[in-house]
């Protein structure tokens, strides 16, 4: 298990590095939300490793660090999806209103998940909330993927391909994460399977993002960044 955990850490950090390298090659402004998420992912992963090695997996401190990082990463994923949804809105005049509405709905949904899933055991509470947030994000992202196909078919083909791959990578990760969270509470015998599935889904997402950015690194769009729309 120690060797497997070390391999997962190495592979995860390597994939995060290549995604960051692709973004730093000239795509930071174009994909600002994705860049900020990857930075937060790298930082929280390093902190998770440090506290895991120093405190141990069963310590309260490590648990707090892990769940804090998990929800920071989830918030970053929601930011990416919201920015893509805003981009999919045909009218530029409606984008500001749609962005505000989506942010308000996301905040209310997050608050509802934490309130409805309250449990005396903090780990169970965080797990249930994370599972529901991941499952909902997977459904929203699936709808976004279909909208991107319908709205942008035949327009800005190369750019749309990148956005579809980003959305597709998110879909893989969120689906695997939602299933993994359920497996962890189905039985003690399925905890390991759930953990491995969650990690593999995360790796698949990073690999898809890397391929999307690397294969389209030559040309540079001249239009404003859709994925950076939250920063405006």
């Amino acid at each position: 298990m120690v060797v497997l955990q070390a391999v997962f850490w190495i592979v995860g950090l390597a994939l995060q590095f290549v995604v960051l390298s692709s973004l730093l090659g000239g795509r930071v402004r174009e994909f600002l939300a994705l860049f900020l998420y990857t930075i937060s992912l790298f930082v929280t992963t390093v902190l998770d490793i440090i506290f895991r090695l120093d405190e141990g997996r069963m310590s309260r401190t490590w648990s707090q660090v892990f769940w804090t990082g998990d929800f920071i990463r989830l918030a970053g994923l929601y930011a990416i999806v919201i920015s893509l949804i805003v981009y999919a809105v045909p009218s530029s005049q409606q984008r500001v209103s749609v962005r505000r509405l989506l942010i308000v709905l996301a905040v209310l949904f997050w608050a509802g998940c934490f309130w409805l899933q309250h449990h005396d055991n903090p780990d169970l509470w965080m797990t249930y909330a994370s599972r529901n947030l991941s499952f909902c994000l997977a459904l929203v992202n699936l709808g976004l993927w279909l909208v991107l196909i319908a709205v942008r078919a035949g327009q800005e083909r190369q750019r749309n391909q990148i956005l579809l791959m980003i959305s597709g990578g998110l879909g893989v990760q969120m689906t695997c994460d939602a299933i993994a969270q359920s497996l962890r509470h189905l039985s003690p015998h399925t905890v390991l399977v759930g953990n491995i599935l969650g990690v593999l889904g995360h790796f698949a997402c990073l690999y898809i993002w890397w391929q999307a950015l690397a294969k389209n690194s030559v040309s540079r769009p001249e239009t404003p960044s859709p994925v950076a729309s939250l920063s405006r």
Side-chain angles (χ1 to χ4, degrees):
M1 285 300 297
V2 175
V3 175
L4 181 62
Q5 180 66 77
V7 170
F8 282 165
W9 282 339
I10 294 171
V11 174
L13 290 173
L15 287 171
Q16 293 166 26
F17 177 78
V18 295
V19 172
L20 280 173
S21 298
S22 299
L23 290 167
L24 289 171
R27 290 188 174 273
V28 174
R29 289 177 58 85
E30 184 183 356
F31 298 105
L32 181 58
L34 182 59
F35 174 72
L36 294 176
Y37 165 76
T38 310
I39 287 290
S40 68
L41 176 62
F42 183 82
V43 173
T44 54
T45 300
V46 171
L47 289 175
D48 181 49
I49 294 173
I50 292 174
F51 279 90
R52 172 73 176 270
L53 294 175
D54 185 55
E55 299 284 342
R57 187 177 183 276
M58 303 306 294
S59 70
R60 183 179 183 85
T61 302
W62 177 83
S63 178
Q64 293 173 343
V65 170
F66 172 80
W67 286 117
T68 300
D70 186 62
F71 286 110
I72 288 174
R73 293 187 290 267
L74 262 177
L77 292 175
Y78 266 85
I80 294 174
V81 172
I82 289 174
S83 64
L84 289 173
I85 293 175
V86 171
Y87 168 68
V89 176
S91 173
S92 59
Q93 297 178 347
Q94 297 177 346
R95 289 178 182 174
V96 175
S97 299
V98 171
R99 180 171 61 244
R100 291 173 179 171
L101 176 62
L102 290 174
I103 292 174
V104 170
L105 290 176
V107 171
L108 291 175
F109 179 73
W110 274 58
C113 281
F114 282 101
W115 181 66
L116 292 174
Q117 295 295 331
H118 183 270
H119 196 282
D120 293 335
N121 186 324
D123 286 332
L124 289 178
W125 184 15
M126 296 299 102
T127 300
Y128 292 147
S130 178
R131 178 196 61 190
N132 293 345
L133 289 169
S134 297
F135 181 73
C136 180
L137 184 56
L139 294 179
V140 174
N141 187 67
L142 176 60
L144 166 64
W145 198 77
L146 298 175
V147 169
L148 283 172
I149 294 177
V151 173
R152 299 293 173 178
Q155 303 177 20
E156 302 175 346
R157 180 167 300 178
Q158 184 186 48
R159 185 184 200 77
N160 193 42
Q161 182 182 17
I162 300 176
L163 298 178
L164 286 171
M165 290 183 72
I166 292 173
S167 177
L170 279 172
V172 172
Q173 176 174 329
M174 289 298 95
T175 301
C176 289
D177 190 55
I179 296 174
Q181 295 285 13
S182 297
L183 286 174
R184 292 183 185 115
H185 288 83
L186 180 64
S187 167
H189 302 291
T190 58
V191 172
L192 179 60
V193 177
N195 291 338
I196 293 176
L197 179 62
V199 172
L200 294 180
H202 172 64
F203 288 170
C205 178
L206 290 175
Y207 180 79
I208 293 171
W209 286 357
W210 174 39
Q211 291 300 303
L213 296 167
K215 289 181 180 179
N216 298 278
S217 60
V218 177
S219 61
R220 295 287 186 269
E222 299 178 356
T223 53
S225 166
V227 186
S229 60
L230 283 180
S231 65
R232 298 175 187 173

